[in-house]
Amino acid sequence: MDYLQENYFTLLLTFLYVGGCLYVGWYFKRQAAQGVADYYVAKRKIPGWVVSLAFFSTSASTNTYIGQAGKSFQFGLSWAWMGLIWTIFCIISWQLLGPRMRAQTARLQSFTVPDYFHLRYQSNLAKYIRLLSAFIILFATVWYMAGIAKGCAVVLETVLDVPYLWGAAAILFITCAYTIWGGMYSVLWTDAIQGIIMFGVAILLLLLPFLFVGGVEELFTSIRQTEHVTKTGEPMGNGLVTFGSLVSFLYILGIGLSIGMKQISEPKNLIRFYSIDNAKSMRFAMIWTPVFLGISLVCVMGLGALVHGMVTAEEAAYLIQDTDKVVGFMLAKFDNKLVSGICVAGLFAAGMSSLASVIIIIGTALVKDIWHVVLPMPEDKLIPRTKWAMLAYCCATFGLVWALHLYPLAGIVELTAFAGAVFAASFFPGIFGGLYLRWGTDAGALASMVTGMVVNVVWRAFFRFRFAGLQEVHEVIPAFLISLLVYLLVSRLTARRKPAEDHLQLVFGEA
Amino acid sequence: MDFWTAFPYWGILVLIAFNAWLVIRRDI
């Protein structure tokens, strides 16, 4: 009974939120089952404001709202550069890829990112590009899914005392349920609702340290000069407000690029362009997505540094050793049930919106881009099998979360950033070339995809940590540049593999 | 707070405004 009295508001909000998500999934169940175009891309009939919010909520996850927000506790206010870098790539994605991707995928009847490679480059070799890209998605995404499920489970455990594995299972299978029911319709509409919650919560989180201390000047006075220590025990002094003091700009740039560049290459982001209903909506989303993402990220990225104004030196010394605990600690310290309930809903929204987006990408990659390519199936089997594939993958992810609980693996955040680097280097050249270069070839796309993976692995394994001065050069930088160069070079060398002229006229809207 | 630490906090607003200007000029 005490438990209910203690947590009634958070429980009420959580049930309302989960019930709302499940209702949206159920509402679209019949509509989504009408055909592949409905289930995979919501028949390209979604308004711009929904897609805009969905792009934002997919891009930011619990890794952002807990992990990245906590990082500035260690690195200071200049960590907000991360938010600026991400927003630059969000703008590049919408300006450079958005309108063309929507137009070309509609003309080619493309429903997934791997099948875009196949349909655009149109050859037997392009079939293998489709298969390879689907396998990259499967491998790179499982760590991301496990990371988000872990993040949400930690929130449930610390706020509502839900046992860790039960929390992870609840998050995974509730998200899986509404995604399976409503396909892309429910993913986009729940993402949009979650985006609104996340935007509000980002601003609320930023306000808490100021409210706790009693004003802007009071808070800045306490963090401008602090006795709190760094991870190695050195006093921070004025480090929280001094550029380059607690973290080098190269380090910020490396992490910022590896995660930020996901927005120009990761299928869960690019698939958003497929579903927009018309050019007017595209214009709306191009303007407003950077607003939602940029303002939220800058609010969240500087949050940890401000928490120094709320905690004692002893508490700071404890938190600096595990910055993932900073946001939860701040909410506990603020100690307001209403605020905690709303913020927990925001953290769930951040986790579940990203989770739903990758679950549907996994289902479509497994069934349409691997199974259907290797063993073609009747059209009416695609949707039921996609649903089963999504459920199976959620079970596998839960198995991984369980295994990680028994045998912890330190580098899961690093693995997620590495997966982002692989997407950026392997997918972007083939997509960019497909959208803009008539002379791009299948051989160029395949060569750049393989190069992107190889350079990422080789740079990380053999160069980055073996030579002084290269430690802070993240593998995404050489891998991206080299794979883009390889695409251009190999396409030039294999110019005769260019698709037929009538196909190119269809691709570029001249037919 | 020095200039480069403060930069992203106001730079984001400049970036958003610049992006909106670019979109308005385009004929999508």
Side-chain angles (χ1 to χ4, degrees), chain B residues 5-24:
Chain B
T5 303
F7 184 83
Y9 296 92
W10 57 265
I12 196 81
L13 300 175
V14 175
L15 184 66
I16 286 166
F18 175 64
N19 174 62
W21 178 75
L22 281 178
V23 175
I24 289 163

Side-chain angles (χ1 to χ4, degrees), chain A residues 434-477:
Chain A
L435 295 176
Y436 282 90
L437 306 174
R438 294 177 77 96
W439 47 270
T441 67
D442 51 3
L446 184 61
S448 71
M449 197 172 279
V450 173
T451 304
M453 286 189 288
V454 170
V455 176
N456 262 311
V457 172
V458 167
W459 185 269
R460 194 178 177 85
F462 300 110
F463 288 94
R464 190 174 165 189
F465 301 109
R466 296 200 179 184
F467 299 97
L470 292 185
Q471 276 208 1
E472 296 195 341
V473 180
H474 197 283
E475 49 272 19
V476 71
I477 299 169

